[in-house]
Amino acid sequence: MAHTWYRVDNVAKVFIATNSRRDPRVFRVSCTLNADIDGERLDEALRMTARQFPSFQVTLHRGLFWNYLESTSKEPHAVPEQLAPCAPVYGPELQNELLYRVSYYGPRINVEMFHALSDGNGGLIFLKALVFHYLKLTEPEALAHMVPESVAPEADLAQDSFRQFYGARRSPGGKAPRAYRMRSIKLPYDQTQYFEAHLDVKQLLPRARADGVTLTSWLGARLMLAIHAEAPLLEHKRPVVISLPVNLRNYYPSETARNFFNSIRVGHVFDGTETPESLAADFDATLKYELSDERVKARMDSFEQLEQMPGIKPVPLFIKNKTVELFTWRENQCVTATLSNLGAIKTPAELDSWLRGFTAMSSTSTMFVCVSSWHDDLVLGISSAYRGTGVLRRFLGGMAQDGLDLTLYATEVENG
């Protein structure tokens, strides 16, 4: 491998400055097959996949003024799953290590990445390539005719698209109000509990269409209602605010596998007159406004503006990190929970008979819901740092009471 170093993009700088034991800033994307995983073949498939993604074969280092990523000859290895989901990939005890982990358990393949390396969409590109190589090794005759899905050239995969498409547009601005923050006691020992809820797209989509809204808005409104119902009465004056990451590849001609997203916020102050239908309509109207090209692109530029400020480059890294940490804390006060919709995951039809489905989830210090679907299987990957499960009971239980078929799995935690 050629000796290469990469700038850390501006979103990555936030994840580096704010990762912690409570939230190590790790996301997971998984694929479940119809047969248990052969570890040796997965390990071989991983080495093949790694060669397609040289910008992922890096370690993270601290410079005097900025962090940077440097290529490494370390080989990735697939290991049996032993750690909790989204366990740390980067930290003081993980110096000079790759910033992603591949594990397997039964028929499931997991790819976990430090969010400074990539975002969920970049992780999915990697996972789908890994699954393809694995199936080619395990089913050489049946899949002999298939070629890998095209992967962008190395330069495009490694592109810092924030810098590439920066247009110096004015930020949408406006001071965001402080949001309602859930008061439930956090789980001990910096634990996070993970839930995986499976629903039927054929049941969900007609509900959203009947209300005249997108599936994201329908789910977002239901999550808002569940949070509000569990909020103390004295907190009802504060807005419930849902943060929604936006894939900027939908707005710019980028094929980068690195971070390229920003987030919008949809908030609502409850007055007691809301119904699921009216709230979904309000949510949808705000979401569509915030997703307009001009607002999305102006918000994207705001991620790059800090680096363009005169005099920022010679500021020592530890001061920059403290500044980013403070700014992120202030931004977090304006968010109640996060809802990230990765959308419909596409795979070649020839692979369908070997695949069962995909899931995604993220570490969090609050509550994070990842939405993804593969064919008719819609999965909510829910992570919660809270001991109480009232919000989730209302959110998922409400859908079950509405007649939606739902299957739920959960990780175990120590309640100490």
Side-chain angles (χ1 to χ4, degrees), residues 359-372:
T359 59
M361 52 187 57
S362 175
S363 65
T364 184
S365 59
T366 53
M367 181 174 290
F368 199 117
V369 181
C370 287
V371 185
S372 62

Side-chain angles (χ1 to χ4, degrees), residues 402-415:
D402 283 348
L404 296 175
D405 296 327
L406 188 150
T407 304
L408 181 65
Y409 305 93
T411 60
E412 294 183 357
V413 294
E414 297 181 43
N415 283 309

Side-chain angles (χ1 to χ4, degrees), residues 6-19 24-25 27 58 60-61 66-69 90 99 114-119 159-162 257-262 303-304 307 317 320-321 324-325 328:
Y6 302 92
R7 291 178 180 269
V8 172
D9 63 71
N10 277 327
V11 172
K13 291 168 186 171
V14 173
F15 294 125
I16 295 168
T18 59
N19 83 94
R25 299 295 200 167
F27 68 87
V58 294
L60 179 61
H61 301 276
W66 290 115
N67 294 103
Y68 63 95
L69 301 168
Y90 169 77
L99 301 177
F114 184 38
H115 225 319
L117 183 65
S118 184
D119 57 24
Q159 182 187 77
D160 182 346
S161 291
F162 289 106
R258 297 173 66 186
N259 284 303
F260 197 40
F261 76 97
N262 61 25
F303 279 87
E304 188 68 23
E307 189 158 326
L317 179 59
K320 289 173 179 168
N321 281 345
V324 170
E325 190 175 351
T328 304

Side-chain angles (χ1 to χ4, degrees), residues 224-235:
M224 270 187 173
L225 284 166
I227 292 171
H228 173 73
E230 288 290 311
L233 185 61
L234 290 176
E235 296 279 5

Side-chain angles (χ1 to χ4, degrees), residues 50-63:
R51 288 194 287 272
Q52 291 182 270
F53 294 85
S55 62
F56 284 0
Q57 314 314 309
V58 294
T59 52
L60 179 61
H61 301 276
R62 294 172 61 93

